[in-house]
Amino acid sequence: MIRILIVDDEAPIRDLLAQTISAHGEDYAVVGVAGDGDEAIERCRELRPDIIITDICMPAVSGLEFLQTARAEGLLVKTVIISGYDEFDYARQAISLGVTDYLLKPFLPGELFEVLGRIKREIESQRMLMQNMDSLQTLVDKQRWLVREKLYTQLVRGTLRSIPEPGEPESGLFDFEAPFYCAGQIHILGSEHEAQVWDERRSEELAALLEEYFGKQIRLYTVTMSGTQTVLLFAGYEEGEELFHFDLRNGIECSQNSLRRHFNLHMRCALGSVKEDWRQLCDSYEEAQSAWRSQMKADKQLLVYGETGGKTPSGMGDATKQIRQLKTNILLEVRLGNLEKALERLEALMKCYAALSSKKSDYIFISAGELVYAISNELEEQYGTLHDGLLRQVEGTRRKLEYSSLMEMKSALEAFVTASCKWVQSREESGRSKRLIGQVCSLIDGELSNQELSLEWVAARLNFSPHYIRQIFKQHMGEAFSDYVIRKRMEKAGTLLRTSGMLVQDVALTCGYANQRYFASSFKKYYGRTPTDYKQMVGRQEDI
C-alpha cells in the first residue's frame, strides 16, 4: 500500500482529495493531511509517507518552501505539486527540488490517478531493487563467511601456504603480521556437563562474547571444527611471549566465569604453546588437542600444553597470587558484613593493582570486575534475590570500572563494598530480630498464666532492654507487646470457656488474672460480652 500525505491550505480541496484517493481502492492510503508548510514538515517527520501531494501557493510557508525544508532534512520522497498557476518559474523550481510530477487546477480524478499510478510503479520498482540488493548482500555476507571459515580451517590444518594477496577474497580476514600466535580449543558444556552443539554460525556469537575478556593487544578468531568443538586462534601484540600467554589464560578464565554465572554453561579449554610464525598455528592446535586428550578426566577447566601450573610474566606471579588471596578475603568479609575489614582488604588490593605495570590495565579492570560479580553472586546464593537497588549498583559499578582510572576504580569499589556490607548487616539484623521475636512469642505463649508476665519481665529473661523489645516487636508483629499479650490471653480464655467446663474464676487465674472483675472487663472489651454470658451462649449453641 502506498502511503500519501496531502498538503493544502483549503480544507474543502484537502478533504475532497483525501476522499477521492481513499475511495479508489486498497492501493493507496491517505495517512495524513496538513494545512500549511510548517504542519506538513511535522507530519512528514511523524508519518514518513511514500508520496506527498502539495499545493504550491499557501500562506506563511509555501509549497516550494516546504519542499526545500523537507529536502534539507532528508524527508523528501515522491512528490506531486498542484497549482492554479500555469507558470514556468514554478515548474522550474519544482523540478530543481526533485518533484516527481505537476498537476494544474482544475484536474480530473483520472489525471490524478494516472500520475499516482506512474509513481506507484516507480516505488514498487525501487522496492524490488532494494529487496534484490538486500538478497545480494546476504549472499555476499554468506560467501564472505564461508571464505573466512575456509581460511581459518586451512590455518588450523596447516594447509595454507602463502598470505592472501590484496584483492583476494581472503585478504584482510586474518592478521599475518603479529609477533605471537597461539591456538586452542574449547568445549561448551551445559548444566548437566553435557557437550553443547555449536554450529558454524554460533561460533561468531561465541567469538563476540569472548572478545570482551581479551585486551586490545590480542585478536581472536574462531572456527567450528566439529559440532561441540570450537577452535580459537589468537594473534598477539604483547611485548613478550610470557605476557601474551598470561593474558590468554586470564581472558579464558574470565570467560569461563562469565559463562558459568550468567548462562549456567561450563567452558573447558585447552591451549597450545605460543608461536612466532602463523604457519605454526597448526602445531599449536595439535598441542592443544594433545593437552585435551591427555587430561580428559581432569577437573581443571583450563588445560595448557606442557605445563601443570601455568606461567605468568616475570615479577607478576607473586602479585597475582596476592591479588587472588585479597579478593577471597574481601569476599569473606562482605559475606560476614564486616565493613571495616572489607575496606582494609580493598585498600591492600588497590595497592597491588597500582604496583602492576601500566601495561596490565586490562588485567586490572577484568580482575576488579570479577570481584564485583563474585560478591553479587555470593550474596544471591546466601540470601536469594538481591533488591533492585543493589542489582543496579552491581551493573553500575561494572560499567564504571570499564573506563575508569585507578582512583575512580577505588571509589567505585569502595561504594559497592560498603553498600554490600550494609545490605548484609541489614539482613543479618532482620534475621536476628526475627529470631528474637520468635523467642518473645514463645515465652509469652508459655507464660500466659504468669501474673508477672510483662514487657520488663520478658526483657529481663532474654537480656534485652524493654525499649528495644517494644520497638522491634511492634515493627515485626504489627501490634504492641501489651496488645499481643491480652489477645493471646483472651484467645486462651475463650477456648477454655468453650471446651473445659472450668469456672470463670479458674479460667481467669489460668490466663494470668488474679482479679476476676478485671478479667471480666478485659474479656467483655475483647468479645463484647461477659465471660458468664459468653459461656451461656456457647452452651445454648451446643444444646441446639
Side-chain angles (χ1 to χ4, degrees), residues 165-438:
E165 296 292 334
E168 293 184 1
E170 297 87 353
S171 177
L173 297 179
F174 186 79
D175 185 353
F176 291 94
E177 303 296 331
F180 302 109
Y181 296 93
C182 186
Q185 60 170 291
I186 59 174
H187 293 246
I188 305 295
L189 309 176
S191 57
E192 302 299 326
H193 290 270
E194 295 181 356
Q196 302 291 295
V197 175
W198 289 72
D199 59 27
E200 290 83 355
R201 295 302 179 91
R202 292 189 71 189
S203 69
E204 296 182 13
E205 301 174 16
L206 183 61
L209 177 67
L210 296 180
E211 283 175 353
E212 178 182 350
Y213 298 96
F214 295 95
K216 298 178 182 178
Q217 302 300 314
I218 296 178
R219 298 175 186 176
L220 169 65
Y221 310 87
T222 63
V223 56
T224 300
M225 299 296 290
S226 67
T228 59
Q229 179 200 92
T230 297
V231 176
L232 307 179
L233 303 178
F234 299 98
Y237 283 84
E238 299 284 9
E239 293 188 354
E241 176 183 327
E242 290 185 339
L243 187 58
F244 174 56
H245 199 268
F246 173 80
D247 282 348
L248 288 183
R249 294 173 61 95
N250 187 68
I252 288 170
E253 289 171 355
C254 291
S255 304
Q256 291 170 329
N257 292 335
S258 179
L259 283 172
R260 184 173 60 253
R261 286 196 300 266
H262 302 295
F263 302 100
N264 199 25
L265 294 175
H266 299 264
M267 183 178 79
R268 296 193 67 193
C269 178
L271 278 180
S273 60
V274 176
K275 308 296 182 182
E276 296 184 0
D277 191 321
W278 60 266
R279 297 174 185 82
Q280 296 175 299
L281 274 169
C282 57
D283 299 327
S284 185
Y285 173 64
E286 289 294 333
E287 292 168 353
Q289 281 191 311
S290 175
W292 179 263
R293 286 192 297 266
S294 63
Q295 302 188 55
M296 193 67 168
K297 296 183 179 180
D299 294 332
K300 293 179 62 177
Q301 298 299 303
L302 175 57
L303 311 172
V304 181
Y305 178 76
E307 53 179 80
T308 57
K311 301 177 182 178
T312 59
S314 302
M316 287 191 61
D318 293 340
T320 54
K321 183 184 296 185
Q322 187 177 2
I323 286 171
R324 287 194 295 270
Q325 185 60 51
L326 284 169
K327 287 163 65 176
T328 300
N329 292 340
I330 292 170
L331 185 61
L332 174 61
E333 300 300 347
V334 171
R335 187 189 305 143
L336 297 175
N338 295 333
L339 176 57
E340 185 177 348
K341 291 184 178 179
L343 292 178
E344 288 179 5
R345 304 290 191 186
L346 180 60
E347 181 72 23
L349 176 65
M350 296 309 301
K351 290 179 179 178
C352 285
Y353 285 156
L356 292 178
S357 168
S358 60
K359 296 186 177 69
K360 295 309 300 170
S361 58
D362 288 341
Y363 162 76
I364 293 170
F365 295 143
I366 291 173
S367 175
E370 281 184 318
L371 175 61
V372 172
Y373 282 126
I375 291 174
S376 64
N377 290 338
E378 179 66 26
L379 297 185
E380 279 193 74
E381 291 181 7
Q382 189 170 350
Y383 296 105
T385 304
L386 304 180
H387 68 71
D388 291 342
L390 196 55
L391 283 174
R392 286 194 296 271
Q393 190 155 9
V394 170
E395 294 305 320
T397 304
R398 184 66 180 86
R399 288 193 297 271
K400 288 178 183 177
L401 297 180
E402 189 171 0
Y403 300 108
S404 63
S405 64
L406 279 177
M407 180 178 66
E408 294 166 335
M409 176 190 294
K410 179 182 178 183
S411 177
L413 290 176
E414 284 177 346
F416 176 69
V417 168
T418 299
S420 299
C421 285
K422 288 184 176 179
W423 189 75
V424 170
Q425 291 169 2
S426 67
R427 293 299 298 266
E428 288 298 311
E429 179 62 28
S430 176
R432 286 193 293 269
S433 298
K434 288 180 180 179
R435 289 192 292 273
L436 177 59
I437 294 304

